[in-house]
């Protein structure tokens, strides 16, 4: 889901699509625009974030992959990634900003878990990491171990459930050093 917006330089929403309203926890773009009248203080968890954003926009005219934490309507905090550009008037002055927003909270949480696993592996110093099946936590274990050059043993890989497991299995297979499958069919995958 990609939110699309236009904001004033001063920090008010001029336009927003329904996806941005949903990302931020509002029922409609109108509710979002009426509620968020000071983006720096009401949206960003650190008000200085909007100043950094505006400074980058003024200097470069665009921002790409600008990551920040924001408050949703209910007060919960999420991570977002913004890509935006300045829209200028005929005299070259910035009229407003327009851009896109994506919720990257799941990615940021996964990155944090992988860092935590790396710390655990560094403290334990295992000879190998044994991971079971093809679920998302299996992938995090395999990635952390692979980055630390610890051999990965993948047990019961190759089963098919019809969900994301197929992609995770393929990735874990590429990261693993030894595969211990549960069936002949799984071994053929």
């Amino acid at each position: 889901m990609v939110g699309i917006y236009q904001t004033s330089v001063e920090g008010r929403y001029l336009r927003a699509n329904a996806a941005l309203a949903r990302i931020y926890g509002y029922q409609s773009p109108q509710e979002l625009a009426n509620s968020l009248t000071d983006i720096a203080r009401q949206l960003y968890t650190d008000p200085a974030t909007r100043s950094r954003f505006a400074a980058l926009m003024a200097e470069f005219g665009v921002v790409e992959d600008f990551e920040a934490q924001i408050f949703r309507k209910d007060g919960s905090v999420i991570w977002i990634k913004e890509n935006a550009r300045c829209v200028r008037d005929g005299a070259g002055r910035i009229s407003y900003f327009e851009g896109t927003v994506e919720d990257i909270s799941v990615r940021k949480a996964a990155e944090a878990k992988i860092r935590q696993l790396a710390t655990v592996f560094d403290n334990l110093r295992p000879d190998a990491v044994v991971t079971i099946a093809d679920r998302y936590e299996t992938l995090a274990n395999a990635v952390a171990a692979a980055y630390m050059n610890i051999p990965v043993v993948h047990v019961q890989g190759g089963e098919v459930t019809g969900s994301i497991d197929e992609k995770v299995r393929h990735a874990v297979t590429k990261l693993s050093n030894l595969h211990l499958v549960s069936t002949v069919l799984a071994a053929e995958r």
Side-chain angles (χ1 to χ4, degrees):
M1 177 174 2
V2 177
I4 302 171
Y5 68 86
Q6 291 179 340
T7 65
S8 69
V9 176
E10 298 76 29
R12 288 188 65 100
Y13 278 93
L14 304 172
R15 290 183 186 82
N17 71 349
L20 186 69
R22 278 193 301 277
I23 290 168
Y24 290 175
Y26 292 91
Q27 294 296 314
S28 70
Q30 295 76 23
E31 182 189 11
L32 181 151
N34 292 338
S35 299
L36 294 176
T37 58
D38 184 347
I39 292 172
R41 288 188 176 84
Q42 294 176 287
L43 183 68
Y44 292 108
T45 59
D46 176 5
T49 302
R50 177 69 177 190
S51 298
R52 286 193 304 276
F53 175 86
L56 290 168
M57 292 295 274
E59 183 175 354
F60 301 108
V62 297
V63 295
E64 294 179 350
D65 299 329
F66 185 85
E67 295 182 2
Q69 287 186 295
I70 61 121
F71 293 112
R72 296 183 82 236
K73 178 185 175 186
D74 64 6
S76 62
V77 175
I78 63 170
W79 279 95
I80 61 165
K81 178 180 76 170
E82 289 185 68
N83 292 295
R85 72 179 191 102
C86 292
V87 176
R88 299 181 185 271
D89 65 17
R93 293 181 301 264
I94 299 173
S95 296
Y96 56 89
F97 305 136
E98 64 181 11
T100 61
V101 169
E102 293 179 67
D103 181 346
I104 59 167
S105 300
V106 171
R107 188 196 87 202
K108 293 298 251 185
E111 289 170 355
K113 292 295 182 190
I114 289 171
R115 284 191 300 277
Q116 287 176 331
L117 283 168
T119 300
V120 168
F121 293 161
D122 192 44
N123 291 335
L124 293 175
R125 301 205 182 276
D127 293 326
V129 170
V130 177
T131 189
I132 299 173
D134 297 326
R135 294 173 38 95
Y136 63 91
E137 60 271 11
T138 300
L139 181 57
N141 289 334
V143 168
Y147 271 121
M148 299 187 68
N149 294 316
I150 300 169
V152 176
V153 178
H154 187 199
V155 177
Q156 289 185 334
E159 302 304 321
V160 175
T161 63
S163 67
I164 190 71
D165 293 356
E166 181 68 15
K167 292 177 182 178
V168 171
R169 179 193 57 76
H170 182 72
V172 172
T173 296
K174 293 293 188 183
L175 294 167
S176 297
N177 302 85
L178 179 63
H179 303 276
L180 303 173
V181 296
S182 59
T183 67
V184 173
L185 186 60
E188 292 172 357
R189 284 192 196 96

